[in-house]
Amino acid sequence: MRQVRDVVRMKAAGISAREIAVRIGVAPSTVRLTMKRLEQAGLDEAAVADLSEAALEARLFSHVGTKQGHRRRIEPDFALIHRELKRKHVTLQILWDEYIEAHPDGYRYSRFCDLYRGFERRLSVTMRQTHIGGDKLFVDYAGDTVPVVVDRLKGTVRRAQIFVAVMGASNFSYGEATWSQALGDWIGAHGRAFEAIGGVPNLLVPDNTKVAVIKACLYDPQINRTYAAMAAHYDTAVLPARPRKPRDKAKVEGCVLIVERWLLGRLRHRIFYSLAELNAAITDLMKRLNEERVIRRLGRTRRQLLEELDRPRLKPLPVEPYVFAEWRIRRVGIDYHVEVEKHFYSVPFRLARQEVEARITARTVEIFARGERVAAHLRSSGNGGHTTVREHMPSSHRRHGDWTIERIRKEAARIGSVTAILCDLILERRSHPEQGFRACIGILRLAKPFGPSRLEAAAARAIDIGALSYGSVRSILDKRLDQVPPTQAGKRQEPGPDAAPILHPNIRGPRYYQ
């Protein structure tokens, strides 16, 4: 408007249009057009001086862009344009080309953009953000909780947490109740949210809660290992909001407010007696929110926007859902076993005394050393017992561990019946059968150097003299007493009833003990 006032002032001074153009630095045609508009508006120097900038602009340019005698231009569907801009590679230029192709006498591109910007300024704060379809899923927990009666007799009440997730482009919302905000509930809620959405977004945007982010950082946040593993399983990534920047997740903050009002306000008079009952009610209300409630100014429900904007860009769900797993750091004992939840699991014996990582699920325990899985076991109850894989044992332990009572008896019977009787006697006369394992194993191994027949004879002599030990059997074999008749082997002959008593100074008689 400053140039318009300069034109009016110089025109009143009698300066030509060409000279005015040179002085104010515009084209002569622009000066002539300005003079024409001033004449059509009936404005002279005095009238221009009395008008404000806005009033002068309105008088001169109120009819610019319209043609007298022509019908009113067809207004673009700006709600549709706003939705289409959320699609990848779609720009205002492309949408204007489509608009002008359908309506050749429509608005020019600059006016088209101005009208859309005016429409965009009237939208809510959350809708003003630009979100590409299928790009981001914002996740958080609501601040308020829902009471659930867990014991009808005692009236015990437990508070349930409300997990909330919302798609950035379509505003499709998901909510469910969990008992806590712990890692297990957090991971499980994500999996069920993906199933409700019907796909996986490119990014997950949580806040800096400890279950998601170990260490918050503007440039390089450290993501919880289990959370990162879950994201990798679903082929997505985690992008936490910047610390102390709530606008980064304004979408979910607005959704939390909507869900709290939509859910908690409608459930405030109901009493729930289980988490499943509460989630059934939440599912019904969320279905109504997504499929029946129309978003003002956009003219679509959240479900319709999900199908139009997000569904084509979502990644497919994996064949198997993610199995929640926790990671623990453990040190292998000298017996090459790792303690997990009061149960001991074996690892290869070469890892004894080393530090390893245990991945624990509801059904399995996996052991990793330097990023490589070295053992996998079915999870057992915390009873202090041991789960040992034979391949993890050293060869000497493996050979010893293969011996059982049944195998000892089987091997002894294969050598001979007398050897089997000797082994049974050794096992029976010990306070615990396993205490006789080594003696029996040693006796059975004597069959290799001495032969089964000699071992049978030695076993018979050992039973005859009551020498039920490995050392006695080995001595009989070494001295070849198994090949000598009992009377010649120094076996003491019992005296008959008519034999004379033995008299000797070293022998104590019955009077000694009286």
Side-chain angles (χ1 to χ4, degrees):
M1 293 301 103
R2 180 181 58 82
Q3 292 179 344
V4 172
R5 296 182 188 275
D6 290 340
V7 169
V8 172
R9 179 175 52 80
M10 294 180 189
K11 179 71 170 58
I15 301 175
S16 65
R18 184 175 296 276
E19 182 66 21
I20 295 175
V22 172
R23 292 188 181 187
I24 64 178
V26 298
S29 59
T30 302
V31 174
R32 289 192 292 270
L33 179 61
T34 302
M35 291 179 178
K36 183 178 179 180
R37 287 178 177 171
L38 289 168
E39 183 179 353
Q40 291 176 347
L43 297 176
D44 54 13
E45 183 178 9
V48 169
D50 294 337
L51 294 175
S52 63
E53 296 289 325
L56 179 59
E57 181 179 5
R59 291 284 298 272
L60 294 178
F61 302 102
S62 59
H63 301 291
V64 174
T66 61
K67 295 183 179 179
Q68 300 296 329
H70 287 73
R71 62 184 177 85
R72 180 181 178 85
R73 290 186 173 91
I74 297 177
E75 291 287 329
D77 186 353
F78 290 114
L80 175 63
I81 293 171
H82 187 76
R83 294 196 302 271
E84 290 297 316
L85 282 175
K86 296 180 182 295
R87 300 181 185 273
K88 197 172 183 179
H89 308 307
V90 177
T91 64
L92 275 175
Q93 178 68 52
I94 295 174
L95 296 175
W96 179 79
D97 290 340
E98 295 174 353
Y99 162 75
I100 208 66
E101 183 179 354
H103 309 289
D105 57 344
Y107 292 108
R108 298 298 94 190
Y109 179 68
S110 59
R111 183 58 177 165
F112 178 86
C113 293
D114 290 341
L115 291 175
Y116 172 71
R117 298 304 177 196
F119 168 84
E120 189 181 30
R121 284 192 293 270
R122 294 193 298 272
L123 296 177
S124 63
V125 174
T126 55
M127 287 301 297
R128 202 178 299 145
Q129 300 182 19
T130 301
H131 297 291
I132 305 301
D135 187 37
K136 295 179 181 178
L137 178 69
F138 297 83
V139 292
D140 199 1
Y141 271 100
D144 295 331
T145 58
V146 178
V148 178
V149 178
V150 294
D151 191 330
R152 301 192 184 196
L153 297 178
K154 297 181 180 179
T156 307
V157 176
R158 186 175 177 183
R159 311 293 299 190
Q161 310 289 328
I162 305 298
F163 173 84
V164 178
V166 57
M167 289 299 302
S170 63
N171 278 337
F172 184 87
S173 304
Y174 173 80
E176 75 164 82
T178 62
W179 282 128
S180 69
Q181 299 185 19
L183 187 59
D185 289 331
W186 173 259
I187 296 295
H190 275 71
R192 291 183 287 273
F194 294 151
E195 292 178 2
I197 294 169
V200 182
N202 294 323
L203 289 173
L204 301 175
V205 184
D207 57 9
N208 288 276
T209 176
K210 285 297 182 182
V211 294
V213 181
I214 297 176
K215 183 179 180 181
C217 177
L218 175 62
Y219 305 104
D220 189 17
Q222 297 182 14
I223 308 300
N224 181 287
R225 183 171 184 176
T226 301
Y227 193 35
M230 183 274 296
H233 177 81
Y234 286 101
D235 191 23
T236 184
V238 179
L239 181 66
R242 293 174 296 171
R244 296 176 296 279
K245 297 292 183 180
R247 289 188 178 181
D248 285 4
K249 56 183 182 68
K251 177 72 68 172
V252 75
E253 295 293 345
C255 181
V256 165
L257 181 61
I258 292 173
V259 168
E260 285 182 338
R261 292 174 176 174
W262 183 263
L263 293 180
L264 304 184
R266 287 168 171 78
L267 300 177
R268 68 187 186 278
H269 297 308
R270 296 184 58 178
I271 300 176
F272 300 97
Y273 295 97
S274 68
L275 194 66
E277 184 182 350
L278 173 58
N279 274 321
I282 291 176
T283 300
D284 181 63
L285 288 174
M286 293 306 297
K287 183 177 181 181
R288 291 169 53 190
L289 175 66
N290 289 316
E291 299 182 5
E292 300 178 10
R293 190 177 179 87
V294 177
I295 299 178
R296 288 182 298 177
R297 298 187 182 277
L298 296 182
R300 292 288 191 279
T301 64
R302 289 170 171 81
R303 171 65 69 177
Q304 291 172 334
L305 293 174
L306 175 71
E307 299 298 333
E308 293 178 13
L309 303 177
D310 290 321
R311 184 78 71 191
R313 307 296 304 177
L314 290 175
K315 298 178 181 179
L317 290 168
V319 177
E320 296 290 337
Y322 177 74
V323 178
F324 170 67
E326 294 183 272
W327 290 87
R328 307 278 178 83
I329 297 177
R330 290 291 184 266
R331 186 169 293 278
V332 182
I334 193 174
D335 61 348
Y336 47 89
H337 281 71
V338 175
E339 184 271 329
V340 176
E341 301 292 341
K342 298 182 180 180
H343 193 88
F344 295 86
Y345 302 89
S346 67
V347 298
F349 68 93
R350 67 178 184 277
L351 298 175
R353 301 185 180 89
Q354 294 187 23
E355 192 175 81
V356 296
E357 293 177 307
R359 181 178 181 270
I360 309 167
T361 68
R363 299 186 60 187
T364 61
V365 173
E366 298 173 282
I367 310 299
F368 291 80
R370 294 181 292 276
E372 178 185 0
R373 190 176 75 171
V374 295
H377 302 273
L378 288 176
R379 187 170 179 178
S380 299
S381 59
N383 53 9
H386 290 71
T387 299
T388 306
V389 176
R390 184 174 181 273
E391 288 72 17
H392 293 164
M393 305 168 67
S395 58
S396 58
H397 293 193
R398 197 180 307 151
R399 288 193 298 269
H400 179 77
D402 288 342
W403 287 98
T404 61
I405 294 178
E406 291 75 15
R407 183 182 175 187
I408 288 174
R409 288 173 173 165
K410 183 178 179 180
E411 295 290 336
R414 186 178 301 172
I415 296 172
S417 59
V418 181
T419 305
I421 293 173
L422 175 61
C423 290
D424 284 339
L425 290 174
I426 293 175
L427 294 173
E428 290 173 0
R429 295 190 180 185
R430 302 298 172 94
S431 59
H432 193 282
E434 291 188 7
Q435 292 178 340
F437 271 22
R438 293 185 181 180
C440 293
I441 294 171
I443 291 172
L444 296 176
R445 286 176 177 173
L446 292 174
K448 186 174 182 179
F450 296 102
S453 59
R454 288 194 63 190
L455 181 56
E456 274 284 284
R461 186 171 295 278
I463 294 173
D464 190 30
I465 65 176
L468 305 180
S469 66
Y470 165 78
S472 299
V473 177
R474 180 64 187 254
S475 178
I476 292 172
L477 291 169
D478 287 341
K479 296 178 179 181
R480 297 183 178 275
L481 297 179
D482 57 297
Q483 299 175 349
V484 180
T487 56
Q488 300 179 13
K491 182 177 180 181
R492 185 173 64 86
Q493 299 292 326
E494 293 294 335
D498 298 333
I502 300 174
L503 300 176
H504 192 276
N506 291 336
I507 297 178
R508 302 169 185 173
R511 293 182 180 180
Y512 178 83
Y513 297 98
Q514 292 179 357

